């Protein structure tokens, strides 16, 4: 449905719903006039303005409250003019007026809060588009799709991150998870993403790139937090996928291992010697080990954060990623991501406790040259 049609239909539906409190006032008014002298239904009029905030805004509440006050006043005049001057009747009119005024103030504050939340959503979405835009659907010979699900619904973005960069010989990717979550982790994620984009095309080897990222993160996080080295860190997996070789080169820095889905069977790409998370290199001075794995046309590579595998259902059972995707038919990355999102949210009942991100990668066609390594055997160098 077009957006302008939705905006028009919503006010029209709200105006139609106003018939409920107005009809209630009319019914109480008529019954109260026809009732025996000893029966007074005037207090029931307060229900009309009380339910109106769920239907309309301050103007609608004010209108219904005014109608209720007028109805109560007319009932007193019609039934017994002297009754209008009684303390009981005046108290009922005053109570209706006070309730109506209070509800109008409540609606004004509610609308102001809704505007503030809408502004927060707008700013969060703008930040996400700048800091963490979706990956391009094509990266050289690769087809990609990305997904980000924030635990904080109003934030839209948190501490999970991903990025890709094209080089002369292939595609480099990173996926990571900042310690912590929510808006407070955005600056740390932006720090690593900025360092990755600055160096991914210029560092000759994958281990040199990771060493540079660790150094940048170590100093950047320490300066941002005012704490010493090692107080903050980012788990990450950095990959290089050559254009003309059916393989993946990977350096793991304490991040969950990728999965390759081949013919419906998942294979976990465990690192032989994983490095510490980025930001801790100054404490351990690691040597970054590059693992290589087969990755052929028809395979689907899955990169994800721990918000996926640590997502729990109502019985507190973790989301079994490898088990859930076993047997899924071969599909394009964007189709796979759509199915995965629905399956994950169905598992957790619609709400995540932690940010979650995933990238799905596959070849757009067949490789034109060297097909060595397509068997998927693990090698290290």
């Amino acid at each position: 449905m077009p957006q302008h049609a939705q905006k028009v239909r919503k006010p029209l539906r709200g105006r139609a719903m106003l018939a409920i409190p107005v009809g209630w006032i009319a019914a109480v008014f008529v019954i109260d006039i026809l009732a025996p002298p000893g029966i007074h239904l005037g207090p029931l009029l307060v229900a009309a303005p009380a339910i109106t905030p769920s239907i309309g805004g301050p103007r609608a509440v004010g209108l219904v409250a005014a109608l209720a006050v007028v109805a109560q006043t007319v009932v007193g005049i019609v039934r017994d003019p002297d009754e209008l001057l009684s303390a009981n009747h005046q108290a009922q009119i005053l109570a209706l007026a006070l309730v109506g005024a209070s509800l109008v103030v409540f609606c004004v504050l509610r609308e102001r809060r809704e505007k503030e939340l809408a502004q927060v959503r707008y700013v969060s979405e703008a930040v996400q588009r700048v800091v963490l835009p979706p990956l391009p659907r094509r990266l050289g010979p690769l087809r990609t799709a990305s997904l980000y699900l924030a635990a904080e619904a109003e934030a839209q973005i948190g501490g999970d991150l991903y990025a890709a960069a094209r080089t002369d010989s292939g595609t480099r990717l990173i996926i990571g998870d900042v310690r912590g979550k929510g808006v407070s982790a955005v600056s740390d994620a932006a720090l690593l993403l900025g360092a990755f984009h600055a160096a991914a095309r210029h560092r000759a080897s994958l281990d040199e790139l990771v060493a540079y990222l660790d150094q940048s993160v170590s100093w950047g996080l320490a300066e941002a937090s005012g704490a010493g080295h090692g107080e903050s860190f980012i788990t990450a997996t950095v990959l290089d996928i050559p254009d003309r070789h059916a393989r993946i080169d990977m350096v793991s820095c304490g991040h969950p291992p990728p999965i390759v889905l081949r013919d419906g069977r998942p294979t976990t790409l465990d690192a032989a010697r994983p490095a510490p998370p980025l930001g801790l290199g100054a404490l351990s001075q690691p040597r970054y080990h590059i693992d290589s794995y087969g990755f052929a046309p028809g395979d689907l590579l899955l990169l994800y954060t721990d918000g996926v595998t640590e997502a729990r259902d109502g019985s507190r059972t973790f989301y079994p990623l490898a088990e859930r995707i076993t047997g899924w038919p071969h599909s394009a990355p964007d189709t796979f991501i759509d199915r995965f999102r629905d399956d994950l949210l169905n598992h957790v009942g619609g709400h995540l406790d932690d940010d979650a991100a995933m990238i799905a990668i596959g070849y757009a066609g067949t490789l034109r040259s060297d097909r060595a390594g397509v068997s998927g055997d693990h090698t290290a160098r």
Side-chain angles (χ1 to χ4, degrees):
M1 180 186 298
Q3 187 174 4
H4 71 276
Q6 292 179 345
K7 291 181 179 179
V8 171
R9 180 168 293 186
K10 185 175 180 180
L12 290 178
R13 186 182 299 124
R15 292 172 186 172
M17 293 292 289
L18 281 178
I20 297 175
V22 173
W24 177 263
I25 292 174
V28 172
F29 174 79
V30 172
I31 296 174
D32 201 9
I33 289 179
L34 300 177
I39 299 176
H40 299 280
L41 302 179
L44 295 178
L45 290 171
V46 75
I51 65 174
T52 306
S54 63
I55 299 171
R59 292 182 180 179
V61 174
L63 173 62
V64 171
L67 289 176
V69 171
V70 170
Q72 181 69 14
T73 304
V74 173
V75 166
I77 295 175
V78 173
R79 294 189 58 165
D80 185 355
D82 295 333
E83 184 180 346
L84 183 62
L85 302 177
S86 68
N88 180 58
H89 203 77
Q90 290 181 0
Q92 292 181 22
I93 294 175
L94 179 60
L96 276 174
L98 290 176
V99 169
S102 300
L103 290 171
V104 169
V105 172
F106 165 78
C107 287
V108 170
L109 295 177
R110 183 188 64 183
E111 287 195 348
R112 184 179 302 172
R113 175 61 175 168
E114 289 176 349
K115 290 180 180 179
E116 292 175 353
L117 291 177
Q119 184 66 18
V120 169
R121 294 189 187 99
Y122 174 80
V123 173
S124 298
E125 291 171 357
V127 170
Q128 184 179 37
R129 287 192 296 268
V130 173
V131 177
L132 198 68
L135 293 182
R137 299 187 66 180
R138 288 292 297 269
L139 290 166
L142 303 176
R143 297 176 63 183
T144 65
S146 55
L147 171 68
Y148 191 98
L149 298 173
E152 298 183 20
E154 305 304 336
Q156 301 293 326
I157 185 171
D160 291 8
L161 59 99
Y162 52 77
R166 287 287 297 159
T167 67
D168 294 336
S169 59
T171 302
R172 284 181 168 173
L173 301 109
I174 184 172
I175 187 166
D177 187 358
V178 179
R179 179 188 182 190
K181 63 180 180 179
V183 178
S184 62
V186 175
S187 61
D188 295 343
L191 172 67
L192 176 56
L193 291 173
F196 175 80
H197 285 298
R201 298 175 180 86
H202 306 294
R203 297 288 165 168
S205 64
L206 198 60
D207 55 344
E208 289 179 353
L209 171 61
V210 177
Y212 171 82
L213 295 178
D214 178 75
Q215 185 179 29
S216 299
V217 169
S218 295
W219 287 103
L221 293 182
E223 291 178 358
S225 64
H229 293 293
E231 296 295 328
S232 300
F233 58 84
I234 304 174
T235 65
T237 296
V238 187
L239 304 99
D240 194 352
I241 305 178
D243 287 347
R244 297 182 178 274
H245 301 277
R247 75 167 192 268
I248 301 169
D249 296 331
M250 181 186 80
V251 174
S252 175
C253 299
H255 198 73
I259 292 176
V260 169
L261 191 64
R262 175 178 298 171
D263 298 327
R265 296 189 299 273
T267 299
T268 301
L269 308 185
D270 292 308
R273 294 200 296 273
L278 299 176
L280 301 181
L283 302 178
S284 58
Q285 298 181 344
R287 295 183 61 184
Y288 295 103
H289 180 79
I290 301 176
D291 295 293
S292 294
Y293 309 87
F295 182 55
D299 295 346
L300 195 67
L301 172 65
L302 309 177
L303 309 175
Y304 57 94
T305 60
D306 60 8
V308 172
T309 52
E310 294 181 2
R312 298 172 183 261
D313 62 9
S315 62
R316 309 303 295 169
T317 301
F318 290 119
Y319 181 76
L321 175 59
E323 177 183 330
R324 295 293 281 248
I325 64 176
T326 298
W328 284 16
H330 174 71
S331 58
D334 52 355
T335 304
F336 178 91
I337 284 291
D338 290 340
R339 178 175 180 179
F340 165 78
R341 178 185 59 241
D342 295 341
D343 191 64
L344 177 64
L345 292 178
N346 181 65
H347 177 80
V348 299
H351 177 72
L352 293 170
D353 294 327
D354 194 6
D355 303 326
M358 173 175 275
I359 303 173
I361 305 167
Y363 282 106
T366 58
L367 295 179
R368 291 192 295 258
S369 59
D370 185 5
R371 294 287 303 276
V374 298
S375 64
D377 294 335
H378 170 273
T379 59
R381 57 191 177 102

